[in-house]
Amino acid sequence: MGKLLSFSFWNTVARLILRNRIAILVLLIATTIGFSTQWKNLRFTHTEANLLPDDHPVNVEYNRFLDQFGEEGNLIILGIENSHLDTYQKFNAWNALSDTLETYGEIDLILSTSNLPELIKSQDGSTFEMKPLVTKPLQSQEELYDVKNKLYKDLPFYKNLIYSEKDSVLRTAIYLKKEIVNTQERKEFVLDDLVPLLEQQELDIKVSGMPYIRTLNAKNIVDEIGVFLLAALLITSGIFFFFFRSWRATFISIITVVVGVMWAFGILGLLQYEITVLTALIPPLIIVIGIPNCIFLINKYQQEIKKHGNQAKSLQRVITKVGNATLMTNLTTASGFATFIFTESTLLKEFGIVASICIVSIFLISLMIIPIIYSYLPLPKERHLEHLGKQWIGAFVDWMENMVRHHRISIYISSVVVLIASFIGMYQIRISGSLIEDMPKGAQFYKDIKFFEESFDGIMPVEILIDTRKKEGITQSKTLKKLERLEEHIIETPELSRPLSIVSLIKYSKQAFYGGDPEFYDLPTSNERMFMAPLLQNSATDVSLMSSYVDSTGQTARITTFMKDMGTDRMERVEENLIAQVGNIFPADTYDTLITGKALVFQKGTNYLINNLIISLSLAIVLIAIFMAWMFRSYKMIVVSLVPNLLPLLITAGLMGFIGVPIKPSTILVFSIAFGISVDDTIHFLAKYRQELIANNWMIKKSVYGALRETGVSMFYTSIVLFFGFSTFTISSFGGTVALGALVSATLLFAMLANLLLLPSMLLSFERHFSNQKTIKKPAFPIIAKEADEEE
């Protein structure tokens, strides 16, 4: 009864599509136009990926810091090696650049040698004053020498802030207005104003800072979308043409996937999701997944035409026979992506929602477009059907059958050896929580990041908040000494840069009190504070940069340091050491402390995703197992079907350990994606296998070889398309995207071999367990309909 209902359903679908061709085409065109109107809502992310849920404690703490002190990532840094400012003319040009930038409305503050304030005591000794280090353009080399000598030797306050202690690299600190940091205005300033201005300079200027890095990184993502789309389309359609040798079939498949891509962009716009490094992969992903749908449908159409030459019957059978199996394979693939919906990470949730919707959409599009277009075209010519009898494909099928028939022991031994090696490799996998590891290594902005990291000991902000629980508690002598102790610990930590805090300003004030002598750059004693107090009270100005390091009540202080790019393990040790030191210096019974910042938030997000990987992958396995149970109604078949799909995942994990590819936000996607796609081959094989069992009166060997010959070619076709399709991601300049493409491609190749060699070998070896209808019960519905001559 179930079989009749299922066939009746798909027969009804076939009639509906073929009898309402014009109406469906109009509906498809209208829907595509409707989605295209949503493209105006497409927008690119202005922030780096937040991998944690919004209500995660780490996010809550970070947002609390932002509420109190504002956006931390508003600093753009310009740097130049001291040796490149060897003449006073070049030094003047360097200062002129800062003067020009100060005229832009997007900038809140610039700190550079052009306006560097020197704190001095007034002539009458009654107050502190700010005097510019450079008051006018330099006129001689002697003046240049005096300025540099003054800066490097007499102004320790600016050490590792304006100049590098290591190599005397000079830098300009540009603080954007905090309200534009996460907006389109920031992007326009960086790309339309800053970058062209810097390109006009004759000096060798390095640029970094989170606003700049975010903008250039986002621009690379945008630029690569078009490259991915074109590469995926050319490669997959090229392989398609190689297999089919038909321009007509190739063009139809291109139309199908292009409509799917248009829908993908429309769905993104309709849901108003930002285009991130993940959602940017969805349009080319639709091409890669859509082409195999076209292969199954067009290949079946051509097989039917070659068999009986009746176009109406052929088109009907394309829908009734392939539609069911293609639906199941697309649903399992969509399920692999849909598991990301349950991670509670907004980034992954949006990716999972859009990807799963688009995969189901491309199935519907291909099921309607391909039969309808072919119904208006003449029958394929003989040369278009020649690929169905290619000798090299027959040789490949013969090789598979020979391996399964005569070398099953070798297949098992090889599988066990590879499995053991994979477990060894898995123990060597490292975890990466780096913000910059996936960025394009060849891009200039990445090289500049490494330049500043080398000179200034880090570029990823880490923030420490100290709450004294009472007004003006920060300015008390004991609190300042505690802050200084913490700063000394940070300075001694090689992975952290020299910190910035109110302590530096207090030290600078003492130096100014003693006539600018750098020997007195230190915290004042109680007596010195008493003498300095009147000067501080009479001073109407301070270093404006420092005003953001203490709140308005004087109760809470902020210490900012920068962390080097490093592995997660080392980052965690640095964090643990820092937490212990903060807790030791500022006891919890007296002070409230918080350690946060972009670097730590991203690292915590990576660990969160890794913990959720097990949940996501387990959920994918459970969903696929439920599909298998529903289709085959046999727990033994579930076990047999999962083995050849889990083995490739373990092989890939081992491979990652051996070649040094870390677990990170981009690579943890590999397993759920690859599992959802690779199980498609298992469904096709087992569906055909059961059909062969019924036809051959439950003769196992004959049924296995029959299924292998019938499905082997299609599995080979689609696996090759998927392999090269995902390989297009390796042309990316983003390391994470390259790793994702290479690893998914490798996993799918392993999965193809496992499904063509290991799966049939297991069915033959456990023949007694699969030799009756009690083991393989009647399915909920036939995935592949039996041959029949029903016609419209």
Side-chain angles (χ1 to χ4, degrees), residues 42 94 184 251 263-264 270 380 425 518 525 543 558 643 701 711 780:
L42 289 174
W94 170 251
Q184 176 74 12
F251 184 66
W263 282 32
L270 180 65
T525 64
V543 180
R558 164 191 178 189
V643 170
K701 287 187 173 64
T711 61

Side-chain angles (χ1 to χ4, degrees), residues 21-36:
R21 294 174 296 174
I22 296 178
I24 290 175
L25 281 178
V26 171
L27 180 63
L28 282 171
I29 293 171
T31 304
T32 305
I33 293 173
F35 276 131
S36 68

Side-chain angles (χ1 to χ4, degrees), residues 467-521:
D467 187 349
T468 61
R469 301 179 184 172
K470 53 188 175 183
K471 288 186 177 181
E472 303 301 330
I474 288 299
T475 57
Q476 292 182 1
S477 181
K478 66 174 184 178
T479 307
L480 291 173
K481 288 179 180 179
K482 287 177 178 289
L483 290 171
E484 185 182 37
R485 279 178 56 197
L486 181 55
E487 286 195 358
E488 288 171 354
H489 171 75
I490 293 173
I491 292 171
E492 291 170 0
T493 305
E495 292 84 2
L496 299 175
S497 69
R498 178 178 177 266
L500 295 172
S501 75
I502 188 64
V503 171
S504 301
L505 181 58
I506 300 297
K507 289 181 177 180
Y508 196 14
S509 300
K510 178 180 175 180
Q511 179 187 350
F513 182 77
Y514 284 100
D517 188 343
E519 293 293 328
F520 291 94
Y521 185 75

Side-chain angles (χ1 to χ4, degrees), residues 524-536:
T525 64
S526 298
N527 287 335
E528 288 170 332
R529 284 169 60 87
M530 184 175 63
F531 286 114
M532 291 170 55
L535 280 75
L536 291 170

Side-chain angles (χ1 to χ4, degrees), residues 74 76 106-108 174-178 181 186 189 211:
N74 66 328
I76 296 178
E106 295 85 354
I107 293 176
D108 185 39
I174 305 171
Y175 291 87
L176 296 184
K177 290 182 177 177
K178 293 180 178 180
V181 169
R186 181 208 75 206
F189 167 72

Side-chain angles (χ1 to χ4, degrees), residues 69 89 102 146 150 174-176 200 230 309 426 504 613 634 679 783:
F69 286 98
Q89 292 94 338
E102 276 191 304
D146 290 341
K150 178 80 171 175
I174 305 171
Y175 291 87
L176 296 184
Q200 297 171 10
L230 184 60
M426 286 169 61
S504 301
L613 167 65
S634 167
V679 79
I783 294 94

Side-chain angles (χ1 to χ4, degrees), residues 311-598:
Q311 188 179 53
K313 181 192 294 185
S314 299
L315 293 172
Q316 183 197 27
R317 286 187 171 180
V318 165
I319 299 170
T320 57
K321 295 179 183 300
V322 184
N324 217 348
T326 309
L327 172 62
M328 287 300 100
T329 55
N330 278 266
L331 285 178
T332 54
T333 302
S335 298
F337 287 90
T339 56
F340 297 125
I341 298 173
F342 302 96
T343 61
E344 296 184 9
S345 166
T346 302
L347 182 77
L348 281 183
K349 187 176 293 187
E350 291 180 356
F351 174 70
I353 290 172
V354 177
S356 53
I357 292 174
C358 288
I359 290 169
V360 175
S361 297
I362 191 65
F363 160 73
L364 296 174
I365 293 168
S366 57
L367 188 67
M368 290 185 286
I369 286 183
I370 290 174
I372 289 175
I373 291 181
Y374 268 113
S375 70
Y376 287 106
L377 296 176
L379 292 175
K381 295 185 171 123
E382 189 63 34
R383 68 175 184 272
H384 297 149
L385 308 179
E386 291 176 355
H387 71 94
L388 297 172
K390 288 290 184 183
Q391 291 184 354
W392 66 272
I393 295 178
F396 173 71
V397 174
D398 291 340
W399 174 80
M400 288 189 303
E401 183 176 333
N402 181 62
M403 289 295 296
V404 173
R405 189 185 295 271
H406 301 295
H407 302 284
R408 288 203 295 276
I409 300 299
S410 299
I411 292 173
Y412 294 143
I413 292 174
S414 299
S415 299
V416 171
V417 170
V418 170
L419 182 62
I420 293 172
S422 298
F423 278 118
I424 295 173
M426 286 169 61
Y427 282 101
Q428 301 179 38
I429 294 180
R430 65 183 179 89
I431 299 172
S432 171
S434 168
L435 258 172
I436 68 172
E437 183 170 19
D438 282 345
M439 292 181 182
K441 302 297 187 293
Q444 186 59 47
F445 74 86
Y446 180 84
K447 297 175 183 177
D448 289 352
I449 289 174
K450 305 307 288 185
F451 169 83
F452 283 107
E453 185 177 75
E454 179 64 29
S455 294
F456 291 92
D457 294 326
I459 48 94
M460 302 302 170
V462 175
E463 303 287 352
I464 306 169
L465 263 60
I466 309 296
D467 187 349
T468 61
R469 301 179 184 172
K470 53 188 175 183
K471 288 186 177 181
E472 303 301 330
I474 288 299
T475 57
Q476 292 182 1
S477 181
K478 66 174 184 178
T479 307
L480 291 173
K481 288 179 180 179
K482 287 177 178 289
L483 290 171
E484 185 182 37
R485 279 178 56 197
L486 181 55
E487 286 195 358
E488 288 171 354
H489 171 75
I490 293 173
I491 292 171
E492 291 170 0
T493 305
E495 292 84 2
L496 299 175
S497 69
R498 178 178 177 266
L500 295 172
S501 75
I502 188 64
V503 171
S504 301
L505 181 58
I506 300 297
K507 289 181 177 180
Y508 196 14
S509 300
K510 178 180 175 180
Q511 179 187 350
F513 182 77
Y514 284 100
D517 188 343
E519 293 293 328
F520 291 94
Y521 185 75
D522 196 2
L523 283 177
T525 64
S526 298
N527 287 335
E528 288 170 332
R529 284 169 60 87
M530 184 175 63
F531 286 114
M532 291 170 55
L535 280 75
L536 291 170
Q537 291 173 357
N538 295 332
S539 299
T541 182
D542 63 358
V543 180
S544 57
L545 174 67
M546 288 293 108
S547 61
S548 62
Y549 284 85
V550 180
D551 72 343
S552 58
T553 65
Q555 177 176 315
T556 304
R558 164 191 178 189
I559 300 176
T560 299
T561 182
F562 295 88
M563 182 179 287
K564 284 185 176 180
D565 181 44
M566 67 187 91
T568 297
D569 290 343
R570 179 57 186 158
M571 189 182 295
E572 287 177 345
R573 287 196 293 272
V574 170
E575 182 189 6
E576 289 169 0
N577 183 264
L578 190 57
I579 291 172
Q581 197 69 23
V582 170
N584 181 48
I585 297 173
F586 297 95
D589 58 347
T590 309
Y591 300 91
D592 294 324
T593 60
L594 171 65
I595 300 178
T596 185
K598 284 290 184 187

